[in-house]
Amino acid sequence: MAYLRAVGRAFALAAFGLLSWLDVLLELLTFGLLCLGLVFFLGPAIEWARHRSATARVLAGRWCGVEIEPPYLPEPPEPERERDGWYRDGNTLYKRAFWIRWSRRLTWVMEDPAAQREFGWQLVNPPVTLLLPVFALLGGPLALRGYGHWTRWWLGRRPGRVTKIGALRWMHQRLESLGHQLGTFALSVVLTAFAVWPVALLLVAPPMAAPVVRWSRTIANTLRREVGTWTGVRIPTPYLPPPPLPTPRPDGLFQVGKQLYEEPWWPVQLSRTRWVMRDRATWRDVLAAVVLPPVTALLALPTAVLVFGGFLGLIDLWIWRPIMATWNVTWPWFFGVPPDTAHALLLTPIALAAFVLGLVPTTFLAKQAARFARLLLGPTEASRLAQRVDRLKQTRTDVTIAQAAELRRIERDLHDGIQSRLVAMGMKLGAVEALVDHDPAAAKKLAAELRSASAEALTELRVLIRGIHPPVLSERGLLDAVRAIALDSPLKAEVTGSLPGRVEEPVEACVYFAVSELLGNAAKHGSRRATITVSFEDDLLTLVVLDDGPGGANPARGSGLRGIERRLGGFDGRLTLTSPTGGPTSATVEVPCQIDPGPSSPKTSTSSETA
């Protein structure tokens, strides 16, 4: 009876598994709409697919005897209305909470690692469940229990990061790289699909083309972002800054060339059309849409054919061949061989070799595809210079405010600290002069107090100087200064990476205080461990501070993070914060700068990890 029940449940799970492909189609459709600017559908589609995953976990517990806990991060908090009745998200105010709630939930589902595993399960589960009835016929309830454990591996909670060793780690990395190759090809095909009609509008109706081209740029930006995340090859956005809004003349009219307009709408359309038409990045996107798909396909096709061919060959030889031979059914064999064990043993090394040879170059080819995409979609020198000028215009006010605040802090510390101590010491010196003749003992006591006060004042002055420019920066350089911060931090902090030389001194000080502030924030919010990664590539200094805190950091809610942004703005630097609810928090500091190829650490290096 248990055997028949297991077979029936296997057929039911196979029918239920086919529904996962409907979820995949819906998510891909909503992702395409997201690329077009219709942003409200992807998050609900992913959340809707989670109901089917929840049903799969329930069925695994009831039918397979394997309990599976939901793996998702805690849901984001609801927006809170401020006293004035508005809702705040960063520096933007909203009358209603809909947009904030939607953006938080989209970030929640997109940044959850469980969502990526769930999408993989939706792709792989249907073919696996189609084989499940066959295994149930052979193994009965044992096959169902194996399927339950397999489902828990995909859809269950993972207590920690499992370190893969040896061949498993190698195969996992290469399979990920193969997925990155196929993902780059898929995004390039999407770019091609949506690059044709903006070009047609540019040729037929240029005034209508500007907003359409701007919408289509979101697809190219998605490709740039995902390629950088997958392969580590950064592709900055190459577009020129948008033109400013037209300013009216003293008589209230708007002038474009020799033509006057009463309303600003038409001048805005003309300026944006010229901006789009004259931006080389627009036409380079079109070129990438034409060239990138065949190149990425050429790089991905051989590896995909070898990997999937070897995998399907092994399934054909050792799963379908015995089953079909038992049932005496003719089957279109993958290798075109009769169903006998001798041929299977002979062809198994060929299938394994094809699988392994297909995996070997995947990481290298994925990076080559990314570099080719950067060649087409990366910024030119003109666009890079224009972007830097525009950003410096935006950050000039913040830099002035930051400098003024820093001067006020130094003035306040001097006035309230050192100056007060020096005044008190002067008064005590006067008392010593009055007492030295008729009460030498009291004068000696006051002199001892003066000696102690002078030592405290000297210590306070050294702390103040260290806050202005730490001596460890001048003596050891940025990398060892960051290691010194890690040693002084209450966290168990580890510093990795290297620098090819000494960074410019103002940049060193800026990044030093940024890292100090980030570690202080992490310790204040309950983090116990932190990792600091330092690197320099393509004239860009990058530091990544990763902590295991509760997450939820927002630069708009704290003066410390805003202060870091203002500091970095003076050097055209950026602070990128990723802090989902539940953690971890990753803060990336990027500063373009030059580096001196001399020794980066003239003295002995400090340790890279605290006790």
Side-chain angles (χ1 to χ4, degrees), residues 384 387-392 395 540 567-574 590-592:
R384 188 180 289 112
Q387 289 175 352
R388 292 195 66 180
V389 170
D390 184 69
R391 176 162 174 79
L392 289 175
T395 58
L540 185 69
R567 279 181 182 272
L568 295 174
F571 301 93
D572 196 20
R574 293 179 182 275
E590 297 176 315
V591 185

Side-chain angles (χ1 to χ4, degrees), residues 296-320:
T296 53
L298 184 63
L299 293 175
L301 187 61
T303 56
V305 169
L306 288 173
V307 171
F308 289 111
F311 180 71
L312 293 177
L314 292 173
I315 291 178
D316 193 15
L317 291 172
W318 296 107
I319 295 180
W320 282 115

Side-chain angles (χ1 to χ4, degrees), residues 345-368:
L345 290 174
L346 182 64
L347 292 172
T348 296
I350 299 177
L352 286 173
F355 183 79
V356 174
L357 288 176
L359 289 179
V360 168
T362 52
T363 302
F364 172 77
L365 293 177
K367 287 198 174 184
Q368 295 308 310

Side-chain angles (χ1 to χ4, degrees), residues 2 32 35 77 93 160 166 178 194 199 214 262 272 282 285 291 317 326 337 339 396 434 451 488 502 579:
C35 294
L93 296 177
L178 178 60
F194 292 100
V199 175
R214 294 182 68 185
E262 294 182 356
R272 289 185 176 179
T282 301
D285 285 353
V291 178
L317 291 172
T326 303
V337 296
R396 182 170 52 189
R451 188 182 302 110
D488 294 337
R502 287 296 297 266
S579 183

Side-chain angles (χ1 to χ4, degrees), residues 553-577:
N554 188 346
R557 298 176 186 171
S559 59
L561 295 176
R562 283 292 297 140
I564 294 175
E565 290 181 336
R566 285 195 294 265
R567 279 181 182 272
L568 295 174
F571 301 93
D572 196 20
R574 293 179 182 275
L575 172 65
T576 304
L577 195 66

Side-chain angles (χ1 to χ4, degrees), residues 2-22:
Y3 177 82
L4 294 178
R5 187 185 300 113
V7 173
R9 289 174 175 176
F11 277 101
L13 288 172
F16 176 77
L18 292 176
L19 298 178
S20 297
W21 277 345
L22 296 178

